């Protein structure tokens, strides 16, 4: 049997599947990887700096200007998000999603067992009084109208610790899985890529990505467009 069919068969027969997703999953929804917009707006600054805790503290305006370009409020979930949500909602499989994406598209598609590993752009709060504010408040002003404090998203910035709850959830999601499907990520960002070390010894791994990734475990590699592959997944 060819590899693609074997991978589809594995998804069909596995009961506990955990999807680990990255930027490539949001690209078909029109959301570019932030690294690609860097050249357009900030030729002199690295996106890693603009998205760092250091930048938020030292040059908050620069941080805000960059992070506000990452909002794509019009973006809708695509076939990949939808198929993953259908597997969870319309079958008796136990599905978990751990995403690096901060766009909430998995949530919009209906995924329930979801860990947003790096937080989300859609939750904002005041650094001074900690009160939550709406996204539209943050997008219209970076300062809290009640107290004048600086507003921020709950995205985990470079130099910040992961949210403890997310880390715990992500580890359990990987520990419990019979099958791990890595989609649309080069799988190089730590500690996200280290999650693979928590898998069960006999867990199977599928990688769906444009390029091969370096992974310390045997896996089925499906090269190419994840949308095509996900359209072939049957939901009974
Ligand atoms: Zn405030």
């Amino acid at each position: 049997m060819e590899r693609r069919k074997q991978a589809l068969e594995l998804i069909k027969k596995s009961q506990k599947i955990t999807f680990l997703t990255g930027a490539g999953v949001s690209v078909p929804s029109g959301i570019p990887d932030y690294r690609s917009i860097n050249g357009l707006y900030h030729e002199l600054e690295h996106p890693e700096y603009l998205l760092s805790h250091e930048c938020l503290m030292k040059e908050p305006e620069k941080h805000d200007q960059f992070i506000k370009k990452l909002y794509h409020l019009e973006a809708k979930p695509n076939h990949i998000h939808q198929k993953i949500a259908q597997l969870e909602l319309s079958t008796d499989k136990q599905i978990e999603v751990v995403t690096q994406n901060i766009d909430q598209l998995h949530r919009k598609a209906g995924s329930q067992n979801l860990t947003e590993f790096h937080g989300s752009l859609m939750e904002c709060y005041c650094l001074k009084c900690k009160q939550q504010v709406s996204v539209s408040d943050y997008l219209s002003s970076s300062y809290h109208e009640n107290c004048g404090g600086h507003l921020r998203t709950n995205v985990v910035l470079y130099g910040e610790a992961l949210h403890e709850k997310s880390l715990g959830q992500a580890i359990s999601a990987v520990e419990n899985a019979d099958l791990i499907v890595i989609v649309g990520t080069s799988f190089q960002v730590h500690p996200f890529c280290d999650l693979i070390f928590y898998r069960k010894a006999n867990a199977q791994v599928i990688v769906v990505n444009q390029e091969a990734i370096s992974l310390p475990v045997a896996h089925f590699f499906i090269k190419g467009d994840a949308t095509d592959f996900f359209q072939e997944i049957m939901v009974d």
Side-chain angles (χ1 to χ4, degrees):
M1 227 190 320
E2 65 162 309
R3 203 159 39 172
R4 202 176 176 92
K5 278 194 184 143
Q6 281 179 302
L8 288 166
E9 195 58 33
L10 260 181
I11 292 174
K12 194 175 171 188
K13 72 171 199 214
S14 301
Q15 267 307 304
K16 298 179 179 178
I17 309 177
T18 293
F19 292 89
L20 302 179
T21 71
V25 166
S26 294
V27 170
S29 292
I31 299 183
D33 188 337
Y34 66 80
R35 286 178 185 84
S36 67
I37 69 169
N38 179 47
L40 297 174
Y41 301 106
H42 290 272
E43 284 165 357
L44 301 174
E45 305 270 10
H46 289 289
E48 282 77 8
Y49 172 68
L50 296 166
L51 293 175
S52 70
H53 185 76
E54 188 189 355
C55 181
L56 175 67
M57 293 296 123
K58 286 187 185 161
E59 302 180 279
E61 294 80 11
K62 261 190 190 174
H63 167 77
D64 289 327
Q65 198 191 1
F66 186 74
I67 206 161
K68 286 180 185 183
K69 291 190 199 301
L70 304 184
Y71 282 87
H72 296 270
L73 297 175
E74 73 299 340
K76 293 192 172 59
N78 60 55
H79 287 294
I80 309 169
H81 302 105
Q82 285 160 357
K83 191 57 71 77
I84 293 173
Q86 281 170 22
L87 284 170
E88 178 180 351
L89 303 172
S90 311
T91 73
D92 56 3
K93 293 180 190 299
Q94 206 177 309
I95 304 292
E96 296 266 359
V97 182
V98 183
T99 187
Q100 300 177 83
N101 300 337
I102 55 179
D103 51 39
Q104 288 200 340
L105 289 181
H106 283 294
R107 205 190 287 201
K108 279 192 194 165
S111 286
Q112 309 279 310
N113 298 330
L114 172 66
T115 304
E116 287 161 327
F117 201 67
H118 293 151
S120 165
L121 285 171
M122 304 301 162
E123 287 160 25
C124 303
Y125 65 94
C126 172
L127 277 167
K128 192 171 166 190
C129 74
K130 310 296 176 200
Q131 193 185 317
Q132 291 243 358
V133 300
S134 68
V135 168
S136 61
D137 282 353
Y138 176 57
L139 290 177
S140 59
S141 166
S142 299
Y143 296 92
H144 194 196
E145 63 171 354
N146 293 6
C147 79
H150 198 91
L151 301 177
R152 65 164 288 175
T153 68
N154 91 339
V155 168
V156 179
L157 301 176
Y158 288 94
E160 291 181 340
L162 288 167
H163 303 144
E164 218 166 288
K165 190 178 159 217
S166 305
L167 185 59
Q169 267 179 214
I171 289 172
S172 324
V174 173
E175 280 174 341
N176 293 333
D178 302 323
L179 173 64
I180 294 161
V181 186
I182 299 171
V183 196
T185 170
S186 55
F187 215 58
Q188 283 172 350
V189 173
H190 295 279
F192 187 79
C193 62
D194 302 312
L195 288 171
I196 197 69
F197 295 111
Y198 291 93
R199 80 197 182 284
K200 278 188 222 166
N202 59 351
Q204 304 265 15
V205 180
I206 296 172
V207 174
V208 189
N209 200 38
Q210 297 284 3
E211 281 112 43
I213 64 173
S214 112
L215 203 62
V217 297
H219 58 279
F220 290 89
F221 174 53
I222 309 297
K223 184 178 169 64
D225 189 36
T227 303
D228 293 344
F229 180 76
F230 274 76
Q231 277 174 335
E232 290 174 48
I233 298 174
M234 293 297 163
V235 176
D236 299 320

